[in-house]
Amino acid sequence: MTDTIISSASKEVVIGFERPFVIIGERINPTGRKQLAAEMAAGDYSRVKADALAQVQAGAQMLDVNAGIPMADEPRILAEAVQLVQSLTNAPLSIDSSIVAALEAGLAVYKGKALVNSVTGEEERLEIVLPLVKKYGAAVVAISNDETGISEDPDVRFEVARKIVNRAADYGIHHSDVVVDPLVMPVGALNDAGRAVFRLVRRLREELKVNTTCGASNFSFGLPNRHGLNASFLSMLIGAGMTSAITNPLHLEEMTAVLGADVAMGHDPNCMRWIQKYREPLATGDDPVGGRRGGREGRRRRAPGS
Amino acid sequence: MTDTIISSASKEVVIGFERPFVIIGERINPTGRKQLAAEMAAGDYSRVKADALAQVQAGAQMLDVNAGIPMADEPRILAEAVQLVQSLTNAPLSIDSSIVAALEAGLAVYKGKALVNSVTGEEERLEIVLPLVKKYGAAVVAISNDETGISEDPDVRFEVARKIVNRAADYGIHHSDVVVDPLVMPVGALNDAGRAVFRLVRRLREELKVNTTCGASNFSFGLPNRHGLNASFLSMLIGAGMTSAITNPLHLEEMTAVLGADVAMGHDPNCMRWIQKYREPLATGDDPVGGRRGGREGRRRRAPGS
């Protein structure tokens, strides 16, 4: 059983084998969002603020913050965004950049124990990112690719993950502070992508004893009804033992799938969270439908097997 | 790898480890449906007909037929219902009764290889149902309870299943013709119900090498948003290796979960079935929204990560 503790100044979130699945909100990321990129580059963080609040409201326990804007001063912008988000919410953050100076700028201003997103198995990355993770007492997302790229062979990806975990240990970083992203491939291109990642998640958990995360929505790339497919896939990932995902908590189908999978894993004691979220309103007072219904009718639950 | 072949006069359905998940439509069952019970008892099969066609249309590969009406002539009614349904559709049937004379009446008129639903681990049931299954060359659903009732301990349920499989072998029935129902408990009452059944499905598959089925909706009994929870649970059951379910194919959330899980298991080659079901209509001609959209706009797929 492995617990990865991430914290802000006033709140701890635990990613763990016997814990509710942790949703890391992915929205604060200018990649592919032109308007957000332009605003952040100009020092306008109103959309960052709105995204932070909306994601926490929707059920994200953590938030990813990325400031990857071409030609912009990424270290300064990332540090400013981290500070702003920490002033708005106590959700712990994942500090996300491919630029080491930006990671360091974010870590320098961060209050609590951050999740650094990310390190790969590339030698050069390992040698600069891991000392930074150690210096700031952070945890780190380990992405299972290396100099040779992303292997389609899940066994190769497993070995890259093992190498990162071992190297982290050399730097004094415990395996509970390494959260492995096994890399989800688009099933439209690779028909075995689902089962490959389920097997990989089980091996990462049983053999390396690490927590796992992923960008789950890549699975449905190019296919119709992406939310429906992502919902099934996320449920199955959780069944296979995945413990967190970097995803959009504003998507209701995926969030319902995650909450349902937590119930099925026994990670929602007495189904309290499920019941609280989905219980039907009483007939009087707070009925959102607004219709007039009799008391018995209004409180009626669906019959078994309905 | 185990394949269970069920057939009608003109169509085979295979329940198998490396096959798409098989939905056995549960609707033709008067239990808890007063009007259907009254009609069937009076020889009016119009609703049976409608239910048969609607379920096949919705994607059920097989249909369950039950005629359990108190005080009625169940053997005659079940036989008539079986003949009617076989005249309407080529979907193979599961012949469902707790009364042995009704099972035999259904089997006697059935064209093809039926699935007998069901035998339990009770000695008396084993001794009368298994010879019938052998006589008609059918397959059988084995429910993992016995004289002592339904154990909450999944290991006990596993041993009951093993006993039935062994006893079937004594009667010359191959384990590929035994489809085990591990019994799904309501998670609202038993917090570990989900993981218990996932483990059980894996053991049944790996150790007894049998196909599995269940009444999945029992899982969500007493909880709100049952369809949402059933959808997650069904996806995870398929991920754990379950190969069929007796359920209502008219429920869209559950059906989407099953189709999505088939994609994730690699059982929907090139995602053809998923794409066919969910592809967005072209902008011209068959756009159900009916709005005027430009050609490029209308054909646009959601962007990755949207």
Side-chain angles (χ1 to χ4, degrees), chain A residues 23-29 55 62-67 78 85 92-97 115-117 141 246-247:
Chain A
I23 295 287
I24 305 167
E26 73 178 5
R27 293 288 290 159
I28 305 174
N29 189 332
Q55 290 183 102
M62 291 179 55
L63 298 176
D64 188 81
V65 180
N66 178 303
L78 185 58
V85 174
L93 303 187
S94 151
I95 298 176
D96 182 2
S97 179
L115 181 62
V116 171
N117 188 5
V141 173
I246 301 172
T247 190

Side-chain angles (χ1 to χ4, degrees), chain B residues 110-126:
Chain B
Y110 186 77
K111 296 195 183 89
K113 179 182 171 189
L115 181 63
V116 171
N117 186 6
S118 58
V119 69
T120 66
E122 297 161 284
E123 280 301 327
E124 197 192 350
R125 304 294 299 176
L126 291 166

